[in-house]
Amino acid sequence: MELDFAELEPKLRYKLLIGLVYPRPIALVSTINATGVPNAAPVSFFNAVADEPPLVLLSFNRRSDGQLKDTLKNIRRTGEFVVNLVDEAIANAMLVCGQELPETESEFAAAGFTPVPSVAVAPPRVREAPASLECRLLQRIAPGPAREIILGQVLHVHAREGLVDPATFRVSEDYRPIGRLYGDRYCTTRQRFDLPGPLPE
């Protein structure tokens, strides 16, 4: 099969990209709105893209009603956000945060998450997350009318006690992040292996 993306409608391009490029890490992004209400929303077009400077990338489309997503509006206004990483323990609560709630309602409350003050930025982090990356907006990229890409510089990291070895900075094998597949599908990282060598059965 040969597919010319220029001839495909955006919905089909989206289906192909998320169906072929996976698993994708999930950023549970916390921000704060103009009236001080904390917001939390999952973003699956996300990754760490550089270490010097330390950068993460978030990619946003529009809400189902065509409006800007609250998370993107908040980042544009404040220039700050927190990427809370998602593990198996908070997977279902993360999904609750994907609802399109009114700006007056907090996804923290809806999902049962605890907002905790950050160190370097105003938006709170999610206490229940295994790790949180406090970020400052570095650059906005608008490749089209329905898409905006955010580059954020990591300023401060919180990690759950025991997650990172303080001597080696290695992350524990007990860290159980989940990955985004397609549709309602997700995956775990339970099956791990070293290369070169045989792959697991």
Side-chain angles (χ1 to χ4, degrees):
M1 177 182 281
E2 305 295 332
L3 298 165
D4 184 347
F5 262 39
E7 296 178 358
L8 296 178
E9 60 181 83
K11 184 177 181 180
L12 296 179
R13 294 198 295 259
Y14 173 80
K15 285 182 74 171
L16 282 168
L17 286 173
I18 66 167
L20 292 171
V21 183
Y22 72 74
R24 298 184 309 282
I26 302 165
L28 180 59
V29 181
S30 50
T31 56
I32 194 162
N33 72 15
T35 60
V37 176
N39 173 274
V43 177
S44 68
F45 278 152
F46 151 72
N47 219 318
V49 292
D51 63 337
E52 187 51 46
L55 300 176
V56 295
L57 179 144
L58 305 171
S59 180
F60 294 92
N61 59 2
R62 298 268 175 160
R63 287 171 54 116
S64 60
D65 60 6
Q67 299 300 307
L68 283 180
K69 291 188 174 179
D70 294 341
T71 301
L72 180 56
K73 282 196 291 188
N74 296 339
I75 292 173
R76 282 181 171 188
R77 185 179 55 81
T78 67
E80 298 179 338
F81 59 96
V82 181
V83 170
N84 302 279
L85 299 173
V86 178
D87 65 1
E88 295 173 20
I90 66 168
N92 280 293
M94 171 275 297
L95 199 61
V96 173
C97 292
Q99 302 175 74
E100 294 184 352
L101 299 178
E103 282 191 86
T104 53
E105 295 181 35
S106 173
E107 291 81 1
F108 276 85
F113 283 137
T114 310
V116 178
S118 296
V119 171
V121 298
R125 64 185 175 92
V126 174
R127 181 193 296 276
E128 293 79 7
S132 302
L133 315 176
E134 297 184 17
C135 302
R136 178 185 299 129
L137 173 63
L138 182 71
Q139 187 176 353
R140 288 170 47 201
I141 304 163
R147 178 67 56 181
E148 185 160 325
I149 295 168
I150 295 292
L151 272 179
Q153 183 166 349
V154 180
L155 306 176
H156 192 90
V157 176
H158 301 267
R160 182 184 292 152
E161 199 64 39
L163 188 68
V164 178
D165 185 314
T168 65
F169 279 73
R170 293 273 185 193
V171 175
S172 169
E173 285 284 320
D174 293 331
Y175 179 38
R176 300 292 186 194
I178 63 167
R180 187 79 164 89
L181 301 180
Y182 50 87
D184 294 329
R185 304 284 288 170
Y186 293 80
C187 66
T188 70
T189 58
R190 290 183 180 278
Q191 200 171 35
R192 305 176 188 194
F193 55 92
D194 295 325
L195 290 177
L199 273 63
E201 292 292 327

